[in-house]
C-alpha cells in the first residue's frame, strides 16, 4: 500500500485551512488615537493579525477615555458588546458585577499570570478570584515634561518642589513662553490636581484624602493648601487651554511654545513619535515633591461574553498575546509606559522608562506607590466623576474659594 507522506505544501495548506476555520474577529474598544497611542494600538492589532484573526477597530477619541466609556455602556446595554474593551481599575469590578465579562482563568493559569504579574496588579484584574482582564502596561502619572531649550532661554531651572515650580513658571512667562501647557478637560485638570496633592500633601495625605476619601482630611488645612497651589498653576496656562486635547498640549512643549507639562507618560509616546530624544530634546522628571512616589495607571483589557466560537477563540488568543514578553516590549516602547509583566529586560527602553521601572519596584516596597484617581485607579466611577467635576469647577471659577471647593469635594466623595 502506498503510504501518504504529506509534502510541505500540503502541511502548510492544512495548517492554513485549520487556522482559517478557527479564525475569528475581535472588536476592540479603546481610545488610543494620538500619534504615540495609535502606534501602540497598531502593535496590539499586529499581534492579533499574526495569529490569523481579524481586528475590528472600535476607537472612540477622547483622552482619559470618558467618551469611550459612555459609548461602551450604550453598546453593552443594547446587547452588542465588543469582544474586548480598555477598562481600568475599580471599573473592572463594576462591569464584572453586571455579569457581562468572561472569566479568563484557563488562559491565566496556562500563562502563569499569578507568577508574572505583581500581586496588587493581579488583584485589580480579578473579580472574586477570577481573572476578568489582561493588563498591558504600567503608566506613571506623576511626570513633568519640559523643553530644555525653553528652560535655557528663560534661565529657568527644572523644579523639584512647588516653590521652584513657580519660580521656573515666572521665568518662562517673562521670556514670553507659555509656562504650563494645559488642556482644560476635567481629567487633565485632575491629573494636575493629584500631582499637587501628592507633592505638597505627601503620600499619606494623598492616600487618606483621595483613596480613602476620609472626610476629616478632605476638610482639613492641607487640602485647602493643595487646592490653592493647584489654582495658582492656572495663572501660568494660556488662554486657549480650555478644551484643548492633551496631545496638543504636549505638542506645545515639543515645539518649545510651552516650557512644561504635567502629564502621564503617554506624553512620552508623543515626543518619541515626533522623533524626539529624551534627555536631549525633552526632559522627564517627577512632578514637584513626588520623587519618592509613583502614581500608577494600568491599562487593561476586559473581555466580554461572546457567543460565536471562532470569536471566542480569537478573544482568548488576544489575552494570551497581551501577556507575551514580545508584545509587552513592543507595545510599551511605543506607548511611553513600562511592561506590567515582571522580570522583563529593559535594555531597549529609554532612561525615563528605566527610572519608572526602578521606581515602581522601590515605591511598592516603601509604600510610595499610589493609584491615580484621575485615571480611574482607585475610586468607583460615580464618586470619581463627581469629585473631578468639583475640581474642574474650582479651576474654572473666579469666585469659588478653596474652602468652598473642599466642602463640595467632601460631599462629592460620598456619591455612590
Ligand atoms: C490611559 C492612557 C491614555 C491616556 C490619554 C489614560 O487614562 O490610561 O492609555 O493614553 O488616558 O488618553
Amino acid at each position: 500500500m502506498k503510504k501518504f507522506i504529506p509534502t510541505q505544501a500540503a502541511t502548510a495548506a492544512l495548517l492554513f485551512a485549520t487556522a482559517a476555520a478557527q479564525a475569528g474577529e475581535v472588536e476592540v474598544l479603546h481610545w488610543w488615537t494620538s500619534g504615540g497611542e495609535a502606534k501602540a494600538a497598531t502593535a496590539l492589532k499586529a499581534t492579533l493579525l499574526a495569529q490569523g484573526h481579524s481586528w475590528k477597530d472600535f476607537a472612540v477619541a477622547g483622552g482619559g477615555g470618558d467618551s469611550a466609556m459612555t459609548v461602551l455602556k450604550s453598546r453593552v446595554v443594547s446587547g452588542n458588546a465588543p469582544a474586548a474593551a480598555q477598562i481600568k481599575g475599580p471599573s473592572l469590578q463594576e462591569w464584572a458585577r453586571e455579569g457581562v465579562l468572561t472569566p479568563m482563568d484557563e488562559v491565566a493559569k496556562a500563562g502563569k499570570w499569578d507568577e508574572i504579574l505583581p500581586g496588587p496588579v493581579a488583584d485589580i484584574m480579578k473579580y472574586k478570584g477570577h481573572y476578568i482582564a489582561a493588563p498591558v502596561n504600567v503608566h506613571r502619572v506623576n511626570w513633568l515634561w519640559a523643553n530644555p531649550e525653553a528652560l535655557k532661554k528663560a534661565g529657568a531651572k527644572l523644579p523639584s518642589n512647588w516653590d521652584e515650580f513657580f519660580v521656573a513658571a515666572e521665568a518662562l512667562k517673562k521670556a514670553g513662553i507659555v509656562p504650563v501647557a494645559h488642556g482644560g478637560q476635567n481629567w487633565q485638570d485632575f491629573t494636575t490636581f493629584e500631582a499637587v496633592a501628592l507633592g505638597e500633601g505627601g503620600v499619606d495625605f494623598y492616600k487618606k484624602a483621595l483613596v480613602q476619601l476620609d472626610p476629616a482630611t478632605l476638610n482639613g488645612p492641607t487640602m485647602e493648601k493643595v487646592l490653592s497651589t493647584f489654582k495658582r498653576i492656572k495663572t501660568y496656562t494660556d488662554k486657549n487651554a480650555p478644551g484643548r486635547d492633551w496631545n496638543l498640549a504636549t505638542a506645545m512643549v515639543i515645539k518649545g511654545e510651552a516650557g512644561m507639562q504635567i502629564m502621564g507618560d503617554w506624553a512620552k509616546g508623543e515626543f518619541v513619535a515626533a522623533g524626539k530624544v529624551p534627555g536631549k530634546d525633552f526632559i522627564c522628571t517627577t512632578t514637584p515633591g513626588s520623587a519618592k512616589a509613583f502614581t500608577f495607571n494600568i491599562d487593561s483589557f476586559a473581555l466580554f461574553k461572546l457567543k460565536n466560537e471562532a470569536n471566542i477563540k480569537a478573544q482568548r488568543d488576544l489575552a494570551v498575546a497581551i501577556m507575551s514578553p514580545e508584545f509587552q516590549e513592543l507595545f510599551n516602547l511605543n506607548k511611553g509606559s513600562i511592561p506590567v509583566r515582571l522580570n522583563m529586560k529593559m535594555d531597549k527602553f529609554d532612561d525615563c522608562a528605566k527610572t519608572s521601572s526602578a521606581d515602581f519596584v522601590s515605591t511598592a516596597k516603601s509604600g510610595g506607590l499610589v493609584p491615580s484617581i484621575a485615571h480611574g485607579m482607585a475610586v468607583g466611577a460615580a464618586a470619581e466623576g463627581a469629585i473631578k467635576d468639583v475640581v474642574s469647577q474650582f479651576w474654572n471659577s473666579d469666585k469659588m474659594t478653596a474652602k468652598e471647593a473642599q466642602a463640595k469635594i467632601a460631599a462629592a466623595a460620598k456619591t455612590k
Side-chain angles (χ1 to χ4, degrees):
M1 203 172 79
K2 204 174 160 201
K3 264 196 194 158
F4 173 70
I5 304 170
T7 61
Q8 264 188 354
T11 313
L14 190 69
L15 286 177
F16 183 76
T18 320
Q22 291 172 345
E25 180 189 80
V26 180
E27 184 178 22
V28 184
L29 175 130
H30 61 93
W31 61 91
W32 292 331
T33 53
S34 75
E37 289 179 333
K39 281 190 155 190
T42 302
L44 185 61
K45 177 178 170 182
T47 306
L48 188 81
L49 296 186
Q51 308 188 36
H53 298 302
S54 57
W55 166 281
K56 189 169 174 196
D57 204 42
F58 185 4
V60 181
D66 294 340
S67 315
M69 288 304 104
T70 309
V71 176
L72 177 64
K73 267 180 207 136
S74 68
R75 278 282 300 265
V76 178
V77 166
S78 64
N80 184 23
Q86 185 188 354
I87 301 180
K88 308 187 296 176
S91 284
L92 285 167
Q93 312 295 317
E94 294 174 4
W95 280 104
R97 263 197 297 277
E98 297 295 319
V100 290
L101 301 185
T102 184
M104 285 188 253
D105 294 324
E106 248 174 72
V107 172
K109 207 164 168 216
K112 301 198 165 71
W113 290 13
D114 276 343
E115 287 164 42
I116 60 174
L117 287 176
V121 176
D123 290 346
I124 301 174
M125 303 300 140
K126 286 180 188 172
Y127 175 66
K128 295 192 172 162
H130 303 284
Y131 276 100
I132 38 96
V136 290
N137 64 2
V138 180
H139 270 304
R140 186 181 206 171
V141 186
N142 57 321
W143 280 121
L144 178 75
W145 307 93
N147 182 309
E149 273 297 306
L151 290 182
K152 201 167 147 206
K153 224 194 238 167
K157 186 173 138 262
L158 202 62
S160 61
N161 57 46
W162 286 103
D163 286 341
E164 288 176 11
F165 176 86
F166 290 111
V167 172
E170 198 53 44
L172 285 159
K173 196 174 187 175
K174 288 220 173 81
I177 299 166
V178 177
V180 183
H182 184 69
Q185 296 174 347
N186 76 355
W187 71 273
Q188 293 189 62
D189 298 342
F190 208 93
T191 297
T192 301
F193 173 72
E194 71 180 22
V196 179
L198 185 64
E200 191 155 82
V203 167
D204 289 343
F205 166 80
Y206 183 96
K207 287 183 184 165
K208 268 196 162 165
L210 299 181
V211 181
Q212 293 151 24
L213 305 178
D214 172 54
T217 312
L218 288 174
N219 284 305
T222 308
M223 185 67 169
E224 188 180 353
K225 194 163 165 239
V226 164
L227 280 162
S228 307
T229 303
F230 163 67
K231 190 68 183 276
R232 198 173 155 204
I233 297 174
K234 191 181 173 199
T235 56
Y236 294 100
T237 62
D238 66 328
K239 67 171 188 346
N240 295 325
R244 176 189 285 135
D245 286 331
W246 67 272
N247 53 320
L248 300 182
T250 307
M252 292 168 70
V253 181
I254 292 177
K255 290 185 211 140
E257 291 166 14
M260 309 183 274
Q261 183 186 17
I262 294 167
M263 189 49 63
D265 45 20
W266 44 93
K268 197 185 73 191
E270 296 304 297
F271 285 103
V272 172
K276 303 295 175 192
V277 179
K280 180 175 157 273
D281 305 317
F282 68 97
I283 302 172
C284 62
T285 186
T286 42
T287 46
S290 77
K292 294 209 164 60
F294 189 118
T295 319
F296 69 86
N297 168 29
I298 295 167
D299 285 314
S300 47
F301 281 94
L303 302 190
F304 281 83
K305 283 186 178 152
L306 298 177
K307 292 203 178 85
N308 177 302
E309 272 305 318
N311 291 353
I312 292 175
K313 163 92 173 56
Q315 187 189 42
R316 280 204 207 110
D317 287 351
L318 180 76
V320 173
I322 280 177
M323 295 295 287
S324 71
E326 298 76 24
F327 169 76
Q328 293 261 328
E329 181 179 271
L330 179 65
F331 176 85
N332 287 298
L333 282 171
N334 286 304
K335 189 71 175 66
S337 37
I338 54 169
V340 64
R341 202 186 148 115
L342 293 168
N343 303 323
M344 288 269 307
K345 276 211 221 119
M346 293 297 289
D347 47 336
K348 291 208 186 123
F349 286 84
D350 59 36
D351 287 345
C352 304
K354 283 183 182 139
T355 303
S356 183
S357 180
D359 290 357
F360 182 63
V361 175
S362 66
T363 55
K365 286 189 190 131
S366 69
L369 184 64
V370 295
S372 166
I373 319 306
H375 297 278
M377 286 290 116
V379 186
E384 181 194 313
I387 299 172
K388 273 183 181 167
D389 284 351
V390 178
V391 165
S392 287
Q393 277 165 24
F394 175 61
W395 176 266
N396 292 317
S397 157
D398 294 332
K399 296 196 187 77
M400 197 189 295
T401 64
K403 268 218 162 327
E404 283 162 358
Q406 281 187 269
K408 281 178 184 260
I409 291 172
K414 296 198 179 110
T415 314
K416 288 263 187 292

